[in-house]
């Protein structure tokens, strides 16, 4: 069999003409490589039985869309069609809580000036059934969300019917922590409301868990037949959600739900197919768009107020300003929070890692308790675009681990601590894909894994752990939703298919204080010029 199994099946079962094999192969490869849900066609012609008309009730596996200009798999076609239908339904739904007074909202934002976008976002979330709050790191999305939650309960919303969710376990954990931290800063909240808010935050879960996903049957409990049993759903890190998960949770929403979506469309898109958040934000910019008043973009980054180097580079990546990025990097300084390291391609030596990063790595390795090790782990991170190759996360992690063992950093009678990251959800231990912990050997020589559980750490025997890997360095994709004081970003070469502005933007904005960017100048300038391009048809379906 010369063709890939999927294509051969189309040829045999659906009489795919031989001259169309190339287009189908291109579609499959595009989906695997960049997450596109469609491919643009150069010519039309006879597709035999393999291509269907664009009606949803068709049964064939391929769909020709936009008068034959695009080709989609039927699964992608139906998913985007469903997402568009549900989003438009929510956008057209009647307003809620029209009796909310502006002064009640402003009272929760005591430092806000006239026209404050956080206040606007809160008012929008209270008065609409669909709200999309976007903005870069540090612009106050979670700060705003915490106050929206307080206002919802104060206005009579039942806290038991409010849910927080995110696409991954790591993102759900981070959402819970961020909301709890933001809640502590809200003044004049009655104790009963404060307690209710904390219960809501502690209930943050993954979207899969929310839907009652059964991995054995690959099915969900909640859907259009049995909707989710609540009235408010808030989803964070929406840029990480693929089109099929969007379809699943939107179809499971009850008719009178309030949906609040948070995310940054400039970050990396989902590992799966589609680019839903970006399509919704772009559609909202269209004249007379039904989403025009539903999207609020927060623009003032309070996190980078004293770290203008990070803020400026993020801005230049967002706008594709190559010359400004080049000048900024050449004149970078520690005071600005941005340091450029001109590093030629090749294996990264331990001594090439900045001292500020190495100092914390070594402190983590020698920490005499798992609590101290976790504290250091949350301060720094080494990020790579690749998992493999010379400057990939695995190779860099091995370099660091080897150095820790050779130098015997830490007490001479025990193995150094090591950070690890879980690679799969595990119902037995409760550990989730992306959970980060540390391996620590105690005074008795017993080595265990320690992971955060609420406000404390919980230990696990190594034999009980699901699949995991070292986390001395992790991929940029796996860092989404996380924050660290200082970060080292290892760039791919300019020829790498991973080199994109969204990749570098995501990496540098994980830092709260200082980011070291290492690579060739050509690699980052290539990223500035190359946005990640996914071909999707959701925006066209929203317009139709």
């Amino acid at each position: 069999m010369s063709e890939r199994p999927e294509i051969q099946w189309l040829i045999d079962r659906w009489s795919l003409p031989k001259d169309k094999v190339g287009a189908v192969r291109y579609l499959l490869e595009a989906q695997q490589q960049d997450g596109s849900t469609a491919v643009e066609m150069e010519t039309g012609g006879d597709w035999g039985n393999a291509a269907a008309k664009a009606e949803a009730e068709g049964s064939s596996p391929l769909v020709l869309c936009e008068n034959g200009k695009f080709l989609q798999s039927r699964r992608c076609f139906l998913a985007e069609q469903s997402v568009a239908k549900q989003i438009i339904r929510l956008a057209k739904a009647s307003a809620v809580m029209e009796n909310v007074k502006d002064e009640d909202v402003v009272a929760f934002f005591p430092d806000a000036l006239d026209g404050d976008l956080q206040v606007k976002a809160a008012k929008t979330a209270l008065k609409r059934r669909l709200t999309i709050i976007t903005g870069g790191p540090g612009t106050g999305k979670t700060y705003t969300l915490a106050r929206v939650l307080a206002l919802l309960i104060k206005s009579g919303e039942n806290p038991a019917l409010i849910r927080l969710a995110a696409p991954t376990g790591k993102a759900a954990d981070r959402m819970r922590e961020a909301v709890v931290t933001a809640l502590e800063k809200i003044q004049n909240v009655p104790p009963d409301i404060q307690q209710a808010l904390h219960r809501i935050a502690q209930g943050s879960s993954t979207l899969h868990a929310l839907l009652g996903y059964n991995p054995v049957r690959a099915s969900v409990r909640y859907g259009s037949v049995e909707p989710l049993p609540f009235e408010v759903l808030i989803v964070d890190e929406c840029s990480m959600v693929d089109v099929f998960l969007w379809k699943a949770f939107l179809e499971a929403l009850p008719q009178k739900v309030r949906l609040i979506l948070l995310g940054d469309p400039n970050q990396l898109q989902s590992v799966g197919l589609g680019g839903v958040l970006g399509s919704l934000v772009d559609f909202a910019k269209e004249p007379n768009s039904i989403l025009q008043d539903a999207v609020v973009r927060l623009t003032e980054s309070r996190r980078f107020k004293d770290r203008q180097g990070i803020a400026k580079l993020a801005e230049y990546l967002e706008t594709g300003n190559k010359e400004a990025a080049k000048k900024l990097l050449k004149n970078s300084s520690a005071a600005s929070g941005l340091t450029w390291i001109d590093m030629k391609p090749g294996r990264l030596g331990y001594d090439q890692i900045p001292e500020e990063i190495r100092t914390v790595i070594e402190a983590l390795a020698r920490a005499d308790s798992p609590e101290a090790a976790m504290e250091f782990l949350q301060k720094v991170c080494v990020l790579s675009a690749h998992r493999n190759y010379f400057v990939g996360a695995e190779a860099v992690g091995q370099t660091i681990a080897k150095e820790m063992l050779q130098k015997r950093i830490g007490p001479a009678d025990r193995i150094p601590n090591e950070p690890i990251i879980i690679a799969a959800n595990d119902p037995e231990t409760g550990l989730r894909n992306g959970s980060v912990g540390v391996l620590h050997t105690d005074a008795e020589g017993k080595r265990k894994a320690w992971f955060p559980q609420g406000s404390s750490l919980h230990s696990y025997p190594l034999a009980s752990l699901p699949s995991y890997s070292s986390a001395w360095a992790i991929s940029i994709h796996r860092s989404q939703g996380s924050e660290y004081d200082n970060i080292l970003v290892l760039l791919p070469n300019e020829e790498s298919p991973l080199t994109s502005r969204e990749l570098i933007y995501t990496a540098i904005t994980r830092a709260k204080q200082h980011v070291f960017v290492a690579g060739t100048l050509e690699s980052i300038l290539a990223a500035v010029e190359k946005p990640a391009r996914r071909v999707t048809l959701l925006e066209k379906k929203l317009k139709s």
Side-chain angles (χ1 to χ4, degrees), residues 79-91 250-251 538 541-542:
E80 289 188 339
Q81 188 178 64
S82 175
V83 170
K85 177 183 176 181
Q86 298 299 330
I87 289 293
I88 290 171
R89 176 183 72 81
L90 287 166
L250 287 174
E251 288 182 348
L538 177 58
K541 289 179 171 64
L542 287 164

Side-chain angles (χ1 to χ4, degrees), residues 2 42 50 57 74 104 107 126 161 244 347 365 392 405 449 458 461 497 531:
S2 59
E42 293 184 358
E57 62 268 23
R74 179 159 292 280
D104 291 339
L126 290 167
L161 299 178
F244 303 117
R347 189 175 294 277
L405 287 170
H458 183 74

Side-chain angles (χ1 to χ4, degrees), residues 444-463:
E444 298 177 355
K446 294 182 180 179
R447 194 162 178 82
K448 296 180 181 179
W450 295 80
F451 286 86
Q453 191 176 77
S455 58
S456 60
L457 293 184
H458 183 74
S459 66
Y460 300 83
L462 299 190

Side-chain angles (χ1 to χ4, degrees), residues 174-376:
R174 174 61 192 154
M175 185 185 193
R176 178 179 62 249
E177 294 164 5
V179 169
V180 168
T181 301
L183 290 175
E184 293 171 352
K185 298 177 182 178
I186 304 179
Q187 300 176 355
N188 302 321
V189 177
D192 58 332
I193 293 182
Q194 190 73 252
Q195 291 171 5
L197 292 171
H198 277 272
R199 285 195 297 271
I200 292 170
Q202 294 302 328
S204 175
S205 70
T206 65
L207 283 166
H208 283 90
L210 189 82
L211 292 169
Y213 177 68
N214 185 325
V216 176
R217 298 180 178 179
S219 61
V220 293
R221 174 184 175 183
Y222 296 106
S224 57
V225 175
E226 185 180 358
L228 289 160
F230 48 72
E231 296 176 356
V232 179
L233 174 62
I234 299 161
V235 183
D236 197 12
E237 297 290 354
C238 286
S239 65
M240 299 169 64
V241 183
D242 69 40
V243 67
F244 303 117
L245 190 49
W246 275 94
K247 175 180 182 292
F249 84 77
L250 287 174
E251 288 182 348
L253 295 176
Q255 283 295 313
K256 294 185 178 181
V257 74
R258 184 200 307 270
L259 178 63
I260 302 172
L261 305 170
L262 295 91
D264 183 355
N266 294 312
Q267 285 192 35
L268 283 167
Q269 299 175 82
S270 66
V271 176
L273 304 186
V276 175
L277 180 63
S279 295
L280 298 181
V281 172
D282 288 343
F283 177 60
K285 298 174 184 176
E286 296 283 335
N288 303 316
S289 168
I290 196 171
L291 294 183
Q292 201 168 63
D293 296 329
V295 177
V296 181
R297 181 173 180 263
L298 307 181
T299 57
E300 184 182 350
S301 179
R302 291 159 174 82
R303 180 189 303 173
F304 301 137
K305 192 172 184 180
D306 299 322
R307 299 289 186 272
Q308 283 300 302
I310 303 175
K312 287 295 183 184
L313 183 55
E315 177 188 336
Y316 300 150
L317 284 163
E318 181 181 347
T319 58
N321 193 331
K322 177 180 174 180
E323 290 305 314
K326 182 177 181 179
K327 183 178 179 181
L328 176 68
L329 290 167
K330 285 187 171 182
N331 295 285
S332 63
S333 65
S336 71
L338 173 68
T339 299
W340 169 251
I341 303 172
D342 190 4
M343 188 182 77
K344 302 302 178 186
R347 189 175 294 277
L348 179 77
Y350 181 73
D351 291 340
Q352 292 176 279
I353 297 175
E355 183 179 358
E356 294 89 338
I357 303 290
R358 282 189 281 122
T359 298
V360 179
I361 286 174
E362 293 172 13
L364 190 165
R366 70 166 63 95
D368 58 7
S369 70
E371 289 81 7
M374 280 300 301
E375 188 174 337
F376 286 119

